[in-house]
Amino acid sequence: MLKSRRIILGVCGGIAAYKSAELIRLFKKAGAEVQVMMTADAARFVTPLTLGTLSEREVLSEIFPEHADGSWTRHIELGLWADVFVIAPATAQTIAKLAHGFSDSMLTATALAARCGVLVFPAMDHDMYVHPATRTNLETLASYGYEVYETGYGELASGLVGQGRLLEPVEILGRVEKHLEERTATGPLAGKHLLVTAGPTREAIDPVRFISNHSTGTMGFELARSAARLGADVTLIAGPVNLETPDRVKRIDVVSADDMYREVLSRSDADVIVMAAAVSDFAPETTATEKVKKDGNTPGGLPLRRTADILRELGSNKRDGQVLVGFAMETENAEANAARKLSDKNLDLIVLNNLRDSGAGFGTGTNLVTLLFRDGRREQLPLADKKIVAAAIVDRLAGLAPA
Ligand code: CTP
C-alpha cells in the first residue's frame, strides 16, 4: 500500500520526536517517498540532519525560505504533492495552532493547503492531553475532517503514568496504510475508468526510419499516477517512451498513430479520457518493406497522409457524462487556438502548453500550463514540477467527473 506513496511527516517538539526516525525508516522500507517538516522546537529534540538523512530529502521548517529561490509556494505545491500528511508527534501547541488555522511554519501552512488526508497522532503529558483546551482543539481538528488518533497509555516523560504516549511507529504505519487503502477505495475518482494516452507516436518510413516528435511522455505518466492515487481504474496507452509504469496502472504500449487510434477507440466508453499523447498528425503514405537505400534514390518529397484525429472522433461520439480532455501545444495565438480546439473537438477541458514560455513543454522537468474549461473558466497554473502540475490537473478532473 505504501509503495511510491508520497508522505509528508510533520514532526513537533516533544520528547517523542525521537520516534520519528524509526517511523521514517518504516515508511521508506515500505517504498514511500517521505518529506519531513519539523517545527523549530522539534529540532531541539532530534536534528534535521538525522531526519533528512533517513528521508533522503531536505527537511523543511521555515515558511519563508532563507534564500529566495522562487520557491515561495512550496507549501501549496507540497500540499498537492502528498498522498497523506502524518503529524507525529503532534504536540498540544501545534494542535492548537492547527485548530485555529495558523500558518506560521512550513508544517502548519502546508496542513492548511493540503488536499490529502491529515492524520494527527498526539503525544504530550497526561494532564495536557486531558485539559479541556486540548480536548476542544482535537474535536475541532476532527470536525475539519482530520483523522485524530488516540494516544497510548503508559509511562510518560514526566515520570507520571497515564494517557499521552505517542503510538508506536509500527502502529502509526498500520493506520497510515489503512487510511490510504480506504482513500483509494473511496477517493474522488474511485470506481471511474480513466484512459490516458502519453508519449509520441512513430510513423514508419521503412523498417529503420520513422517520423516522430520530442514528447517524453512524462505528463501523461504523471497524470496516470495521480489519477490512480485518487482511486481511478487507470489504463495508460503509451507511445515509445523510456518511463516506468506507475503503480496500479494498466499499461498498453503502442507505436504508431494508427495503433493508438485502435487501442483508444476500443476503450472509448471510459468515464474520463485524457489525450496527453503527442500523436503524429502525418504518416508516410506508404511504408517501404525493405530499408530505402541511398544509392539510386535522390532526396525528394516524402508523400504523407493525415492520421485520424482520435480526439475529434471521441468528441463527436461523446456519451452523456463522459469527460474528454485534450492537450494543445501552440507556438502562436496560443489561447485562441486552444479555445478553438476545445469547442471543435467537443472537449470539457484543454490543457494549453505554450511553447514560447520557458519551462514549458517537451523534455523539461517543469511545465507551465493554462487550463481552459468548457464553461468558459480559465485557470493558469504556476510553473511547477510536472508531478505537481499533473496532480493539479487530476484534482480539477475529479471535479468535472459526475459522481
Ligand atoms: N490528437 C489526437 N489525434 C491526432 C492528433 C492529435 O487525438 N491524430 C490530440 C492530441 O493528443 C491532443 C490534441 O489532439 O490532445 C491536440 O493536438 P494538436 O496536434 O495540438 O492539435 P491539432 O488539432 O492536431 O491541430 P494543429 O496540429 O493544427 O495544431
Side-chain angles (χ1 to χ4, degrees), residues 311-363:
L311 198 50
R312 187 179 292 275
E313 180 135 351
L314 292 170
S316 49
N317 295 302
K318 191 167 135 184
R319 65 174 170 79
D320 265 1
Q322 187 174 41
V323 176
L324 276 190
V325 182
F327 273 67
M329 192 155 256
E330 304 289 345
T331 54
E332 53 185 359
N333 300 327
E335 286 211 27
N337 281 335
R340 184 179 44 76
K341 282 179 197 174
L342 175 79
S343 97
D344 283 358
K345 298 193 185 187
N346 193 18
L347 309 180
D348 299 281
L349 166 64
I350 193 153
V351 181
L352 167 65
N353 283 289
N354 192 337
L355 280 180
R356 295 262 179 259
D357 293 324
S358 68
F362 292 139

Side-chain angles (χ1 to χ4, degrees), residues 275-277 279-281 307-311 326-330 341 345:
M275 285 293 302
V279 187
S280 180
D281 289 319
T307 59
D309 189 326
I310 307 171
L311 198 50
F327 273 67
M329 192 155 256
E330 304 289 345
K341 282 179 197 174
K345 298 193 185 187

